[in-house]
Amino acid sequence: MERSFKGNPKKISLTSEASMFHYIEYDPKKREVVKQTLSIHENGKVFWNEYILAPNFGHTLEKHRFKIDEVQAQEIIKDVAKHFETNLEDMACDAGMWEIEILCEEGEVFNYYGMLGDVSLKLVEVSEKVRQLIPGQNIWVFDGNYGK
């Protein structure tokens, strides 16, 4: 059972996945992303990975590393943590999904799950803020609207 967030957050790790029904056929002419991972640390370090569909339902990995302003990184981490103080998301098994882990200074870890795209206005705002800090990348975050 999910529990409300409490503590001093220092890192978030987010995994966003496409629906398992979305990528049934492999097309070598297309670059089909099936999963993304994003970690934002309070010191501004950002790790973003994309998993690209390969033959026989395998995948290749593309790794990206960034450094953003520490204050902005801390703001995003706190915005996400604050959301989960009072809000828990719903899940469905036929849609894309996200999973987030919030690590606290005290060492406690909080995990939350939700449907990609079907999120609260606050998580849409956080998704847009992440895309503004890391421009030029097709990052799904919580809402999946990476093409905006």
Side-chain angles (χ1 to χ4, degrees):
M1 172 120 195
E2 293 179 342
R3 57 201 164 106
S4 296
F5 177 81
K6 290 184 176 124
N8 297 309
K10 67 178 195 172
K11 174 186 164 188
I12 58 173
S13 296
L14 176 69
T15 300
S16 304
E17 294 188 60
S19 168
M20 62 185 204
F21 302 110
H22 173 70
Y23 54 88
I24 292 175
E25 292 185 30
Y26 170 71
D27 182 348
K29 296 176 186 162
K30 292 183 180 177
R31 182 182 178 277
E32 191 78 32
V33 178
V34 295
K35 178 178 169 181
Q36 295 180 346
T37 60
L38 174 69
S39 294
I40 301 176
H41 300 250
E42 66 182 350
N43 64 4
K45 288 184 181 178
V46 176
F47 301 92
W48 177 53
N49 300 316
E50 287 187 297
Y51 297 80
I52 314 301
L53 187 63
N56 301 317
F57 292 100
H59 64 267
T60 58
L61 176 63
E62 292 183 8
K63 295 180 178 183
H64 310 272
R65 304 293 178 255
F66 304 94
K67 175 86 165 123
I68 61 175
D69 180 74
E70 285 184 30
V71 172
Q72 291 175 316
Q74 292 165 8
E75 184 178 304
I76 287 173
I77 293 168
K78 287 179 182 172
D79 283 352
V80 169
K82 185 168 181 58
H83 173 79
F84 291 107
E85 287 176 358
T86 56
N87 299 287
L88 302 178
E89 304 293 323
D90 294 325
M91 276 297 295
C93 61
D94 62 342
M97 65 166 287
W98 54 262
E99 174 183 350
I100 190 161
E101 177 181 284
I102 305 173
L103 176 65
C104 294
E105 287 178 359
E106 302 82 11
E108 195 166 5
V109 176
F110 292 80
N111 293 289
Y112 303 99
Y113 310 86
M115 294 185 310
L116 190 63
D118 186 21
V119 295
S120 68
L121 180 58
K122 184 61 180 176
L123 292 182
V124 170
E125 291 171 0
V126 169
S127 296
E128 288 301 319
K129 194 180 289 187
V130 168
R131 289 187 200 101
Q132 289 172 6
L133 291 174
I134 309 171
Q137 305 299 324
N138 293 326
I139 301 177
W140 293 344
V141 197
F142 296 101
D143 64 3
N145 291 329
Y146 60 87
K148 285 188 171 183

